[in-house]
Amino acid sequence: MNGGQSHTTPASESEPTPESSNEAESRKPAVTDESPDWDLIGAVAASEHRAAVLERLAESPATPSTIAEATGLDLSHVSGTLGDLRERGAVTLLVPEERRKGRLYDATDAGELVADRVADVGVCDGAHRLHGRG
């Protein structure tokens, strides 16, 4: 007897995961160390706001207010930057889209790679100095 346990359902038949609600984000091509997205790297490197927000999210998931506090940016700038980085596939929203309070964001795998590349160039360090943390 198997103790009442049933066999697991194949992934194709299972319930959708919370991540599947962000299908547009998951359709972005994979970015790897071998095939970096230079357009995204350039866009992040060109903006101290994008660089600072993405660097913070590469550390751990955070809310916009936490990011604003960590980076020294106005909350309105953080919110706009998160939307931009989300459209570019560097950031993902971890909670349901309809949630207005407690929106938790994280860097995607591509976003983490971009944050590393941009940090290598020194743009993120410049953002830290800009906001008095370097």
Side-chain angles (χ1 to χ4, degrees):
M1 198 157 169
N2 67 7
Q5 295 176 344
S6 62
H7 294 288
T8 58
T9 309
S12 62
E13 298 175 22
S14 65
E15 291 291 319
T17 64
E19 295 172 344
S20 66
S21 66
N22 296 326
E23 287 182 32
E25 292 171 11
S26 66
R27 283 183 270 192
K28 299 272 183 182
V31 177
T32 65
D33 282 332
E34 293 79 36
S35 65
D37 182 343
W38 291 110
D39 184 48
L40 180 56
I41 293 167
V44 172
S47 166
E48 290 177 345
H49 290 178
R50 286 186 209 118
V53 169
L54 190 55
E55 178 186 27
R56 171 54 189 86
L57 287 177
E59 294 171 8
S60 65
T63 62
S65 58
T66 302
I67 297 166
E69 184 177 313
T71 61
L73 298 171
D74 288 337
L75 185 57
S76 61
H77 292 298
V78 170
S79 295
T81 301
L82 285 168
D84 180 47
L85 289 170
R86 236 179 122 192
E87 287 177 16
R88 295 173 186 274
V91 167
T92 189
L93 177 62
L94 299 176
V95 299
E97 186 72 39
E98 11 340 297
R99 178 176 283 189
R100 293 290 142 219
K101 297 277 186 182
R103 290 172 68 96
L104 194 61
Y105 292 86
D106 196 10
T108 61
D109 291 343
E112 288 183 14
L113 288 170
V114 169
D116 288 344
R117 288 285 178 124
V118 172
D120 289 344
V121 176
V123 174
C124 290
D125 291 339
H128 269 174
R129 282 192 297 280
L130 174 72
H131 299 291
R133 292 182 313 281

